Amino acid sequence: MRILLVGAGGVGSAVVPIAARRDFFDHIVVADYDRARAEAVAGGQAAEQIRKQTASGPRDPRFSAIGLDASDQAAVEAALREHRCDVLVNAVDPRFDMPLFRAALNAGAHYLDMAMSLSRPHPSRPYELPGVKLGDEQFAMSAAWEAKGLLALVGMGVEPGLADVFARYAADHLFESIDEIGIRDGANLVVRGEDGQEAFAPTFSIWTTIEECLNPPVIWEDGGWRTTEPFSEPEVFDFPEGIGPVECVNVEHEEVLLIPRWVKARKVTFKYGLGDEFIDVLRTLHKLGLDSTEPVRVRGLEVSPRDVVAASLPDPATLGERMRGKTCAGTWIKGVGKDGAPREVYLYHVVDNAWSMREYGAQAVVWQTAVHPVVALELLARGAWKGQGVLGPEAFEPEPFLALLNEYGSPWGMRES
Amino acid sequence: MRILLVGAGGVGSAVVPIAARRDFFDHIVVADYDRARAEAVAGGQAAEQIRKQTASGPRDPRFSAIGLDASDQAAVEAALREHRCDVLVNAVDPRFDMPLFRAALNAGAHYLDMAMSLSRPHPSRPYELPGVKLGDEQFAMSAAWEAKGLLALVGMGVEPGLADVFARYAADHLFESIDEIGIRDGANLVVRGEDGQEAFAPTFSIWTTIEECLNPPVIWEDGGWRTTEPFSEPEVFDFPEGIGPVECVNVEHEEVLLIPRWVKARKVTFKYGLGDEFIDVLRTLHKLGLDSTEPVRVRGLEVSPRDVVAASLPDPATLGERMRGKTCAGTWIKGVGKDGAPREVYLYHVVDNAWSMREYGAQAVVWQTAVHPVVALELLARGAWKGQGVLGPEAFEPEPFLALLNEYGSPWGMRES
């Protein structure tokens, strides 16, 4: 398997040291708008641990780097062909999903992303009805992928991704019928500034966080999707492994669109433990128009305010040394168990930043997003997962995925209530 | 008198219709980075009322327009010479103070601004001691202005400006000795969006507001200047003419640096009624680094985050039709009256947005800033005010200023406590 990894940001830079320990692939071409960043990541330089490991040995020849503009579909197609890649892995902001998705289809490559094509709110009733939903543009092209015998595996990170695998696992093995599937994401991460004081520094792509948090959250209920107001229905969820109770609110997320396509449940929700400070920041950015992706004119130049926000904040990939704590992603399922009795479980995956930094030189949040697509690629390379068309993680058998995740040294857990 | 008015933003666009009703000057050249904006302002197009008045008549030939980059000192000198201007009026962000100030000196023109050269915090104890203070760079060059027989009248807007005139008036006429002079600025202005809902829209240059509110506030006390934390010492001040109580906090402002140079007082402070929402916005911008004037790199372009914030918000000059309410600037003096008894007065100036829009087509806050430099220019043109070197408004006799302000149709008031 030859892979074109597009994006050498936080997630891309964590994919490299994870894949470097595995032998399922032949080559990974790391591509980025900033070629120097792609070179550094391909050389393991962005991953502290890998740098130490390879300092005395040769660079892993299975990684190379190129400069590439993810918005330039023709250039991406050319790169896939030139480097004879079987798979394109999309590790850039979801605004580039469609050019990358189309490039892979045209070039005859499989495709994997960790999000889905973007939504557009309902024009007149944005907080009641969905407009264009996450993934709609991709699912509309499923027949073209099937016709070419190609797979587009969408939403294959941690959330969406592992969370969807958990939902399918619960449906197959733990429940007779499911009432509600609630994805719940929370952390007790703290970032300290240069001065040692607690600092404000988002641990994941702020571009993506703004997108998902300020769009109308979507809910699946009684056979249909509806939307609500941003940050609605706050609820305190008790996260495992010492993280403890965190207030979570509704956020637009891919699982709510993916799970009901393959798993039967009366209700599917996604809630994120953003915290009051982060919600206030997002509300303020929106109030000032700084969440906008439409360019504004500044002294003769055209720039998108959201890009400027991202450029003003520290790169999440560089925060690991100043971070402490754990992050948890998981799927909370309520329904009737195989024995006919009411059952409630939370299937989860916790990453301790100290561990991911020590083992991989990658901070916990980006490492947790990066490990699952690598596991999925390995399953595809080995033939354990097979498929054609546009599919979500819950379209595949969950057992091999969960077994291989354990083999990667990052076990998942289950809490029974 | 021939005037080069640099800046056709909110204040510049309000200076034109105010000056247009007076006959003390021969010509005003309106200069802006955006020549089209300068043309519109010189033609009265940004001022609704003036447009209506001149729609049937000829354009006032005393106004013309040029394109000019305020940061290009040589270009400003050339413009002063080419247009034979006696005075440069600085109506741009204070970051351009020094090139404009030097250009006027070199070209042999008087200079008037509504702020002063920028401060720089103390390198190690920013919230205790001043570093480079507002106006320090300008006052350091006073001898050069005196040597050329030229006047640089700095801080000649409303605050600083009228507030300083009030301080001198109180010292000359109302008090035997002064304990504290507190500038207090508050408003009950509301801006509505296109949808009629209350909207967040700063009514004055956000660039300047960020600068003054996030720098360490400065206080004059017992013969020296000290600084404090931003937004410190909140206090509820009761503003006159129906505005009512508003919470005010310490903000860095020129009056605190100017007044003690000419008026004897134990303490001088400046507090601004920002409101919780605005303070939260400013704190958030600071937390995200979006207050920074240092360029960041965004997809190959270099832009300053603060410029992007300004470009993302509506132009304050365009808000008048959607604004309601009044703004108040004033000087609160406590001390011993001429009769030897304790005395406390608040000298103030209130502008109702409905009035300034009807009379001048300019919103209240920019109109209130613009009227005072025009009054000062008229006093200088008529010889009622004379001076050489770098001087603040309180260096001049206050009576002619206050009398002429009444003649401009915008009377000041006094509240005795």
Side-chain angles (χ1 to χ4, degrees):
Chain A
M1 180 182 271
R2 294 179 61 84
I3 299 164
L4 179 67
L5 172 64
V6 184
V11 173
S13 69
V15 161
V16 169
I18 295 168
R21 298 195 185 180
R22 310 297 301 182
D23 62 7
F24 68 87
F25 67 96
D26 301 301
H27 197 82
I28 294 182
V29 180
V30 183
D32 199 274
Y33 186 80
D34 177 352
R35 188 191 160 119
R37 186 161 76 164
E39 288 282 2
V41 166
Q45 287 177 38
E48 192 59 29
Q49 187 67 14
I50 292 296
R51 178 162 73 242
K52 284 175 195 156
Q53 287 177 348
T54 58
S56 56
R59 166 180 161 148
D60 188 333
R62 296 179 300 161
F63 296 92
S64 60
I66 60 170
L68 184 65
D69 179 349
S71 69
D72 183 346
Q73 187 184 321
V76 177
E77 288 183 34
L80 283 165
R81 291 198 175 95
E82 181 188 341
H83 299 278
R84 296 170 290 111
C85 292
D86 314 292
V87 190
L88 185 157
V89 174
N90 170 359
V92 289
D93 295 341
R95 67 183 132 170
F96 302 112
D97 274 18
M98 291 313 293
L100 294 175
F101 181 80
R102 289 198 191 96
L105 178 64
N106 288 350
H110 301 294
Y111 170 87
L112 183 153
D113 68 23
M114 284 155 260
M116 299 201 299
S117 57
L118 295 174
S119 66
R120 285 196 298 282
H122 190 277
S124 58
R125 295 164 66 191
Y127 303 129
E128 294 168 58
L129 302 175
V132 176
K133 299 187 298 301
L134 290 169
D136 276 0
E137 284 187 87
Q138 291 176 313
F139 281 112
M141 289 172 66
S142 192
W145 289 79
E146 285 174 49
K148 285 192 155 188
L150 291 172
L151 170 65
L153 173 50
V154 297
M156 189 61 252
V158 57
E159 280 174 341
L162 176 62
D164 304 73
V165 172
F166 281 149
R168 170 74 185 267
Y169 179 80
D172 286 4
H173 298 282
L174 307 178
F175 287 83
E176 192 57 41
S177 70
I178 294 175
D179 181 56
E180 179 169 352
I181 297 177
I183 317 302
R184 295 294 182 272
D185 178 315
N188 64 358
L189 295 165
V190 171
V191 181
R192 299 203 178 272
E194 309 284 332
D195 55 0
Q197 298 297 303
E198 224 175 284
F200 181 83
T203 55
F204 197 69
S205 157
I206 189 72
W207 197 100
T208 306
T209 307
I210 289 173
E211 179 70 20
E212 66 191 18
C213 292
L214 292 177
N215 278 338
V218 61
I219 291 168
W220 168 268
E221 195 162 19
D222 299 323
W225 285 289
R226 63 177 174 89
T227 56
T228 168
E229 300 253 354
F231 314 116
S232 62
E233 300 174 24
E235 151 201 305
V236 173
F237 189 82
D238 189 25
F239 288 91
E241 300 199 14
I243 296 173
V246 177
E247 188 179 84
C248 298
V249 294
N250 280 320
V251 165
E252 181 195 51
H253 234 249
E254 293 83 351
E255 298 89 320
V256 180
L257 288 312
L258 283 172
I259 291 172
R261 291 172 192 263
W262 284 281
V263 176
K264 197 164 149 48
R266 190 187 63 80
K267 186 171 183 181
V268 182
T269 59
F270 179 95
K271 291 190 181 182
Y272 191 6
L274 287 167
D276 288 343
E277 185 187 24
F278 207 102
I279 290 175
D280 180 62
V281 164
L282 291 167
R283 284 192 197 278
T284 301
L285 290 173
H286 181 60
K287 182 154 60 182
L288 303 185
L290 295 171
D291 58 325
S292 174
T293 57
E294 291 295 315
V296 293
R297 197 161 184 82
V298 180
R299 298 184 71 77
L301 305 174
E302 299 261 338
V303 292
S304 133
R306 195 190 295 184
D307 285 341
V308 175
V309 172
S312 298
L313 287 165
D315 178 353
T318 66
L319 296 174
E321 299 284 358
R322 298 196 272 122
M323 272 168 72
R324 293 280 176 287
K326 296 174 178 177
T327 188
C328 178
T331 305
W332 178 31
I333 307 108
K334 288 181 282 191
V336 176
K338 294 289 185 193
D339 61 357
R343 192 175 190 187
E344 184 177 332
V345 300
Y346 182 59
L347 301 169
Y348 63 87
H349 185 243
V350 169
V351 178
D352 184 334
N353 186 70
W355 176 85
S356 65
M357 284 302 292
R358 191 173 63 239
E359 283 286 316
Y360 289 93
Q363 56 100 321
V365 179
V366 300
W367 188 88
Q368 192 181 38
T369 306
V371 67
H372 305 290
V374 181
V375 171
L377 288 166
E378 179 157 352
L379 293 174
L380 293 168
R382 303 204 186 286
W385 274 13
K386 282 184 189 142
Q388 293 178 4
V390 179
L391 300 175
E394 51 282 272
F396 297 86
E397 292 295 328
E399 299 80 3
F401 188 97
L402 295 174
L404 188 54
L405 181 59
N406 284 344
E407 202 183 293
Y408 272 58
S410 183
W412 56 284
M414 179 165 109
R415 180 177 68 191
E416 191 95 37
S417 307
Chain B
M1 180 182 270
R2 293 179 62 84
I3 300 164
L4 180 66
L5 171 65
V6 184
V11 173
S13 69
V15 161
V16 170
I18 296 167
R21 297 194 185 181
R22 310 296 301 181
D23 62 7
F24 68 87
F25 67 97
D26 301 303
H27 197 82
I28 295 182
V29 180
V30 183
D32 198 273
Y33 187 80
D34 177 352
R35 188 189 160 121
R37 186 161 74 163
E39 288 280 2
V41 166
Q45 286 178 38
E48 191 61 28
Q49 187 67 16
I50 293 296
R51 178 160 73 246
K52 284 176 194 157
Q53 287 177 348
T54 59
S56 57
R59 166 178 163 153
D60 187 332
R62 295 179 302 162
F63 296 92
S64 60
I66 60 171
L68 185 65
D69 179 348
S71 69
D72 183 345
Q73 187 184 321
V76 177
E77 288 182 34
L80 284 165
R81 291 198 176 96
E82 180 188 343
H83 298 280
R84 296 169 290 111
C85 292
D86 314 292
V87 190
L88 186 159
V89 174
N90 171 359
V92 289
D93 295 341
R95 66 183 133 169
F96 303 112
D97 274 19
M98 291 312 293
L100 294 175
F101 182 80
R102 289 198 192 94
L105 178 63
N106 289 350
H110 302 293
Y111 171 88
L112 183 153
D113 69 21
M114 284 155 261
M116 298 201 300
S117 59
L118 295 174
S119 65
R120 285 196 298 280
H122 190 276
S124 58
R125 295 164 67 190
Y127 303 129
E128 294 168 57
L129 303 175
V132 176
K133 299 187 299 302
L134 290 169
D136 276 1
E137 286 186 87
Q138 291 176 312
F139 281 113
M141 289 171 67
S142 192
W145 289 79
E146 286 174 47
K148 285 192 156 189
L150 292 171
L151 169 65
L153 173 49
V154 298
M156 188 62 253
V158 57
E159 279 174 341
L162 176 63
D164 304 72
V165 172
F166 281 150
R168 170 74 186 268
Y169 180 79
D172 287 4
H173 297 283
L174 308 178
F175 286 83
E176 192 58 40
S177 69
I178 293 175
D179 182 57
E180 180 171 350
I181 298 177
I183 317 301
R184 294 295 182 271
D185 178 316
N188 64 358
L189 295 165
V190 172
V191 180
R192 299 204 177 272
E194 309 283 331
D195 56 359
Q197 298 296 303
E198 225 175 285
F200 181 82
T203 55
F204 197 68
S205 157
I206 189 73
W207 196 99
T208 306
T209 307
I210 289 172
E211 178 71 19
E212 65 191 20
C213 292
L214 293 175
N215 278 338
V218 61
I219 291 167
W220 168 268
E221 195 162 20
D222 299 323
W225 284 289
R226 64 178 173 87
T227 57
T228 168
E229 301 253 357
F231 314 117
S232 63
E233 301 174 24
E235 153 201 304
V236 174
F237 188 82
D238 189 24
F239 288 91
E241 300 200 12
I243 296 173
V246 177
E247 188 178 84
C248 296
V249 294
N250 280 321
V251 165
E252 182 195 51
H253 235 250
E254 293 84 350
E255 297 89 319
V256 179
L257 288 312
L258 284 171
I259 291 171
R261 292 172 192 263
W262 285 280
V263 175
K264 196 166 152 43
R266 191 188 62 81
K267 187 171 183 181
V268 182
T269 60
F270 179 95
K271 291 191 181 179
Y272 192 6
L274 286 167
D276 288 344
E277 184 186 24
F278 206 101
I279 290 175
D280 180 64
V281 164
L282 292 166
R283 284 193 198 276
T284 302
L285 291 173
H286 182 59
K287 180 153 61 183
L288 304 184
L290 295 172
D291 58 326
S292 173
T293 58
E294 290 296 312
V296 294
R297 197 159 184 83
V298 180
R299 299 184 70 74
L301 305 174
E302 299 262 338
V303 291
S304 132
R306 195 190 293 183
D307 285 340
V308 176
V309 172
S312 298
L313 287 165
D315 178 351
T318 66
L319 296 174
E321 299 283 358
R322 297 197 274 123
M323 274 168 70
R324 292 280 177 284
K326 295 174 179 175
T327 188
C328 177
T331 305
W332 178 30
I333 307 109
K334 288 181 281 191
V336 176
K338 294 290 185 191
D339 61 357
R343 191 175 190 186
E344 184 178 331
V345 300
Y346 182 58
L347 301 170
Y348 64 86
H349 185 243
V350 169
V351 178
D352 184 333
N353 185 70
W355 177 85
S356 66
M357 284 301 292
R358 192 173 64 236
E359 284 286 316
Y360 289 93
Q363 55 100 319
V365 179
V366 298
W367 188 88
Q368 192 181 40
T369 306
V371 66
H372 305 290
V374 181
V375 170
L377 288 167
E378 180 157 351
L379 293 173
L380 293 168
R382 302 202 187 288
W385 274 13
K386 281 183 191 143
Q388 293 179 4
V390 179
L391 300 175
E394 51 281 272
F396 297 85
E397 292 295 326
E399 300 80 3
F401 188 98
L402 296 174
L404 188 54
L405 180 60
N406 284 343
E407 202 184 295
Y408 272 59
S410 183
W412 56 284
M414 178 166 111
R415 181 177 67 190
E416 191 96 37
S417 307

